Amino acid sequence: MKKLLILSTALIALNATEITNLFETIKKAPESKIDSVAVKQMKTQKKAIKGSLFPKLNIFASTEHFSSPANIKPMPPTVSKKIGISGSGYWFSQNITKVGFSASMPLFVKEIYDNKSKISHLITAKEYQAKINLLKREALLVTYLSKLNYLFSLKNALLQKEKSINTTLKAIEVGVNTGSIPKFKLLRLKDALNQIKIKITNIFSAIDATKSDIYKLTKIKISKPVKFNTYKIKTKNFLALKPLEEVKKANEYTLKAAKDKNYPSFMIKAQGYRAFANAYNKDDNLAENFASIGIYMNWDVFDKTKNANIQKAQIENIKSNLEIQKTLKDLNAEIMKINSSIKEIKKAINLTENSITLKEELLKDAKTAFEENSMTVDEYLTYENNLADAKANLANLTATKNTLLANKAFIYGNNLERIFK
């Protein structure tokens, strides 16, 4: 007994490892990596917006030729007078080379902060969506595994039915050979066995198709049923609402940014250069520095497109609210349907388990009656079919229940690795 307990525990651990490995491979699948890259792209956009709040510095160099002498930097009248008295070269030339810099930094551009907050909510929305996509694939895996387990159970039920009929067939052969039982009954049993083999062949095809679906999700080849236990699902806020709520908040900042464009923006700018040239009147070599710094205001006093952008953002806000309301309504309806279905399926499972016990006893009596030639072959086969159908129905109910639980866990955003082990 102790050895059986240890073996049972080991088998459960093996199955847990199998389904855990399948979940792990889904996390590493290209689809999950694509979602991760999408989040990184959004974070890069946020860095770009934050970067616009920092100073910008440019270095430039130029060589210019003018049709008539141009000043290399502004010249006050007093300086011009001094140059004239000293006989030096004036700061004018037809060929001027400059090397310099320009720098700027926003002091007050309100919409930048709005866009920064907007992108933060969009990043969170993208992260929630990535989680939803992952859980959706994991729920699909549970559905495929449930279907696979059902098909294996259906195959086993048919094999047990085949074995049972074979046992009866051997007993009937004795009666046919002695002439006490008509040969028709023997032929009828052989035909029933052929029909079972045809069904098993079709089941194998369905098993292969389901294995292929699992391989597409996990890149793992399954060769046997993957049994698992189910654990309690935590009911909490619907996961599908999370990204919609974040998009709604982002849209609110889009509207705020559109309105904030009505405010003036202020920038601080600085620039400087060193100019090299030959004075046009003396051909003296000149090298002069010039720099400036200032605060600049920009205010779009009249721009018709701003009102259109505000209206567009308001419409997006309305659309977001309606999308949240619709999704909440649909999810509440889906949860009600799932809970009702699970409740009924659990009842059906208990009834079917009891029915299987009864049908096994009935089949024993039917086999005896048939072998004693007091029951027709069709009546006997009915008992065989009833038992096999009950076992298949139990497997189907279990698979359906697991699929419903996976969908419920997905809707509530539960970790499916915790629910299915």
Side-chain angles (χ1 to χ4, degrees), residues 172-181 186:
I172 292 298
E173 279 181 335
V174 176
V176 171
N177 291 334
T178 59
S180 60
I181 297 176
L186 182 63

Side-chain angles (χ1 to χ4, degrees), residues 184-214:
F184 164 77
K185 289 188 174 183
L186 182 63
L187 296 175
R188 188 72 178 80
L189 290 180
K190 288 182 177 180
D191 180 61
L193 289 173
N194 284 334
Q195 295 303 316
I196 291 172
K197 289 175 182 177
I198 291 171
K199 288 181 180 179
I200 290 174
T201 300
N202 293 333
I203 290 170
F204 273 119
S205 297
I207 287 173
D208 289 338
T210 307
K211 285 180 180 179
S212 177
D213 290 332
I214 295 170

Side-chain angles (χ1 to χ4, degrees), residues 24 47 50 54-55 63 69 85 91 120 126 162 168 193 201 229-230 239 247 264 273 295 340 360 362 365 377 381 406:
E24 285 299 320
K47 286 181 181 179
K50 289 173 68 176
F54 289 86
T63 298
I85 292 171
W91 300 344
S120 294
K126 188 65 73 174
E162 181 185 34
T168 305
L193 289 173
T201 300
N229 297 317
T230 58
L239 180 61
V247 169
Y273 63 83
I295 296 175
S340 176
E360 286 174 341
L362 288 170
D365 294 339
V377 65
L381 288 175

Side-chain angles (χ1 to χ4, degrees), residues 14 17-19 21-23 25-26 141 144-145 148 152 207-226:
L14 178 61
T17 303
E18 283 182 357
I19 195 168
N21 288 342
L22 292 170
F23 281 135
T25 55
I26 287 179
L141 172 65
Y144 287 152
L145 291 177
L148 183 71
F152 272 110
I207 287 173
D208 289 338
T210 307
K211 285 180 180 179
S212 177
D213 290 332
I214 295 170
Y215 182 79
K216 287 176 185 176
L217 272 179
T218 64
K219 298 299 179 187
I220 291 179
K221 293 181 179 179
I222 301 296
S223 59
K224 59 181 180 179
V226 180

Side-chain angles (χ1 to χ4, degrees), residues 140-156:
L140 187 59
L141 172 65
V142 173
T143 299
Y144 287 152
L145 291 177
S146 299
K147 182 180 179 181
L148 183 71
N149 292 343
Y150 158 69
L151 290 170
F152 272 110
S153 296
L154 181 58
K155 183 198 73 172
N156 290 336

